[in-house]
Amino acid sequence: MKARIFQKPKNAMQSGRAGTQRWVLEFAPAEARKADPLMGWAGSGDTQRQLKLGFASCDEAVAYATREGIDAEVIATPVRTLKIQAYADNFR
């Protein structure tokens, strides 16, 4: 089983950062999705893809993955940079 551990990014449509402090363990897809012949919906028999586990810290997530024998890759959170400018800078 392969999985990735990451922090959820901030929603681009809102200014709030709720829920971005938690770490998520998400399993990689084990099989490709295929179209259902009747309805055309995409689906697969991979039930672990539906599972997302939340943790308070990266260390807790790594400890869980190690304890359960899950091959997990930690994806570092990118550094947040702010472009601070005044409204008047639009007219220079």
Side-chain angles (χ1 to χ4, degrees):
M1 278 187 287
K2 294 193 70 113
R4 65 184 185 131
I5 298 172
F6 64 98
Q7 272 187 314
K8 288 177 38 178
K10 182 181 92 58
N11 185 352
M13 303 301 289
Q14 297 178 345
S15 61
R17 291 182 289 190
T20 60
Q21 302 301 320
R22 306 235 351 125
W23 287 83
V24 178
L25 186 139
E26 183 178 70
F27 290 97
E31 64 180 54
R33 290 185 174 192
K34 55 186 174 280
D36 181 52
L38 178 63
M39 297 297 289
W41 295 340
S44 71
D46 183 18
T47 58
Q48 286 187 339
R49 194 160 187 198
Q50 301 170 6
L51 184 64
K52 290 184 182 180
L53 301 175
F55 297 92
S57 70
C58 180
D59 296 332
E60 288 181 17
V62 170
Y64 175 81
T66 304
R67 184 175 68 240
E68 297 298 323
I70 301 168
D71 180 28
E73 172 189 2
V74 177
I75 299 173
T77 306
V79 178
R80 206 168 142 235
T81 58
L82 297 176
K83 181 181 176 186
I84 298 174
Q85 75 181 52
Y87 178 70
D89 291 341
N90 293 331
F91 304 102
R92 292 187 185 169

